[in-house]
Amino acid sequence: MAQDLQALPGRDYLSSADLDAAGTSALLRLAAGIKSGRLRPQAAGRVLGLIFRKASTRTRVSFTVAMARLGGQTIDLNPQVTQVGRGEPVADTARVLSRYVDALAIRTFGQDELADYAHWASVPVINALTDLEHPCQALADYLTLQEAFGADPDDLAGLTMAYVGDGNNVAHSLLLAGALLGVHVRIGCPEGFAPDGGVLERARTLADGRCRLEVVHDPVAAVRGAQALYTDVWASMGQEDEQQQRLRAFEGWCLNEDLLAEADPRAIVLHCLPAHRGEEISAGAIEGASSRVFDQAENRLHVQQALLAVVLGVVD
Ligand code: CP
Ligand code: NVA
């Protein structure tokens, strides 16, 4: 396992594509081992800094608890209470913080700002969500799919993940991580809301023909026969001004019981949360027997504990 993860200790995890196929599978195996209690990596005395320029419940709390379970600590470097919020340059902030903490988890807007932190920091930087990607989320999503359909990440190959909604950060990381795991990923979205072309191309290169990565503009075609139905908000953080216009554009794209009836009868329902019942997902779909959204949220903790153990170099 450690051999497949060799690329990562001391390194950044800015994108789902920062691990290769073997590394992604190994990380999911480590997370499952941690979740079961079989593996207990320790990082006593290590400190994780959290710089979050956007709101967060799951990511903030799961990183904090993950670090505590490793025996380490977290410092909340909220921009409002540090000089980050007053415009201290990233180059200075990253170099200073690297003298104090052992890793940084950063939630911000531009992927370029995250890359800037990673460039200047001498400690590992983890993407805790940008406008472009949400790689920690995708790890939890595929661990949840694995729990429903197999015993090992290898069992994911050939399954279909159908994402209906906005071709956003969550969709991007699902495409990239899915490509690495051999999962067919179908993105169903209205015209004008497709995932970024560069991300799709990169995902197809990573997939190397092992799985199909498709974009369709019909919700039923997107979900037909799929093993997982996934959605996310129609207006992401930073797009609040577009809320009304997006509500109109996404009419008919609610993940509901009618769509679920078109999927594989064993299909699970996923949502990264927070959810808007009656908009991108129906109350029946999120609360129904097929929903795994709270397992999915829990799995953030396990995958991030595994990721921290790897970047901190405490996995044997
Ligand atoms: N899914 C997710 O990242 O949730 P938070 O925004 O609450 O962290
Ligand atoms: N796409 C959403 C995900 C929230 C976890 C956003 O960026 O706001």
Side-chain angles (χ1 to χ4, degrees):
M1 181 188 295
Q3 194 184 329
D4 290 329
L5 291 166
Q6 247 164 16
L8 215 51
R11 297 266 306 279
D12 308 312
Y13 190 62
L14 308 183
S15 162
S16 295
D18 283 346
L19 274 172
D20 62 9
T24 305
S25 295
L27 193 66
L28 292 185
R29 280 186 200 108
L30 177 59
I34 290 172
K35 183 174 182 177
S36 71
R38 192 170 47 80
L39 300 172
R40 297 171 195 270
Q42 287 299 307
R46 306 291 189 90
V47 179
L48 171 71
L50 299 181
I51 303 177
F52 277 42
R53 293 188 56 208
K54 293 177 176 174
S56 168
T57 298
R58 279 143 289 270
T59 310
R60 178 187 296 281
V61 177
S62 56
F63 265 116
T64 306
V65 175
M67 206 57 199
R69 289 195 178 180
L70 288 169
Q73 289 182 32
T74 306
I75 302 186
D76 196 344
L77 302 161
N78 187 330
Q80 277 123 39
V81 298
T82 61
Q83 302 286 6
V84 170
R86 295 180 61 246
E88 184 167 8
V90 167
D92 294 355
T93 305
R95 282 179 290 180
V96 169
L97 293 176
S98 298
R99 304 289 178 107
Y100 304 142
V101 304
D102 300 285
L104 287 166
I106 300 178
R107 170 170 286 200
T108 191
F109 295 86
Q111 186 78 10
D112 51 346
E113 187 190 333
L114 183 76
D116 226 15
Y117 269 105
H119 173 78
W120 289 105
S122 55
V123 296
V125 173
I126 296 171
N127 183 345
L129 180 147
T130 61
D131 292 345
L132 190 67
E133 276 203 56
H134 199 0
C136 296
Q137 181 67 53
L139 291 172
D141 303 340
Y142 286 114
L143 179 60
T144 311
L145 186 62
Q146 178 198 310
E147 289 172 339
F149 287 94
D152 184 83
D154 285 348
D155 300 329
L156 288 167
L159 297 175
T160 297
M161 168 75 79
Y163 173 99
V164 289
D166 186 25
N168 62 13
N169 44 8
V170 167
H172 291 160
S173 286
L174 272 184
L175 280 165
L176 292 165
L180 293 167
L181 293 162
V183 177
H184 305 301
V185 183
R186 247 184 252 146
I187 307 289
C189 57
E191 301 274 359
F193 295 92
D196 177 80
V199 171
L200 189 60
E201 199 181 307
R202 176 101 174 94
R204 286 186 174 142
T205 304
L206 292 174
D208 199 20
R210 279 176 308 165
C211 52
R212 289 185 305 279
L213 306 169
E214 300 166 279
V215 178
V216 298
H217 298 299
D218 169 5
V220 174
V223 303
R224 194 166 285 138
Q227 282 75 43
L229 268 55
Y230 195 132
T231 192
D232 181 19
V233 292
W234 292 334
S236 286
M237 289 180 278
Q239 296 175 330
E240 289 79 5
D241 292 353
E242 299 173 26
Q243 175 79 25
Q244 291 311 316
Q245 170 209 330
R246 282 171 174 264
L247 273 177
R248 286 190 293 276
F250 282 92
E251 215 169 292
W253 284 88
C254 178
L255 198 176
N256 57 20
E257 293 88 325
D258 291 346
L259 276 191
L260 190 53
E262 302 286 341
D264 184 321
R266 301 166 300 162
I268 60 170
V269 170
L270 300 173
H271 191 307
C272 59
L273 304 178
H276 299 88
R277 289 163 174 79
E279 291 184 19
E280 79 275 3
I281 193 161
S282 68
I286 197 167
E287 300 293 350
S290 305
S291 175
R292 295 290 179 278
V293 299
F294 296 105
D295 293 331
Q296 183 186 5
E298 177 189 331
N299 284 337
R300 296 292 306 278
L301 171 60
H302 308 301
V303 297
Q304 286 159 205
Q305 195 175 335
L307 179 62
L308 286 167
V310 171
V311 300
L312 293 170
V314 298
V315 178
D316 297 334

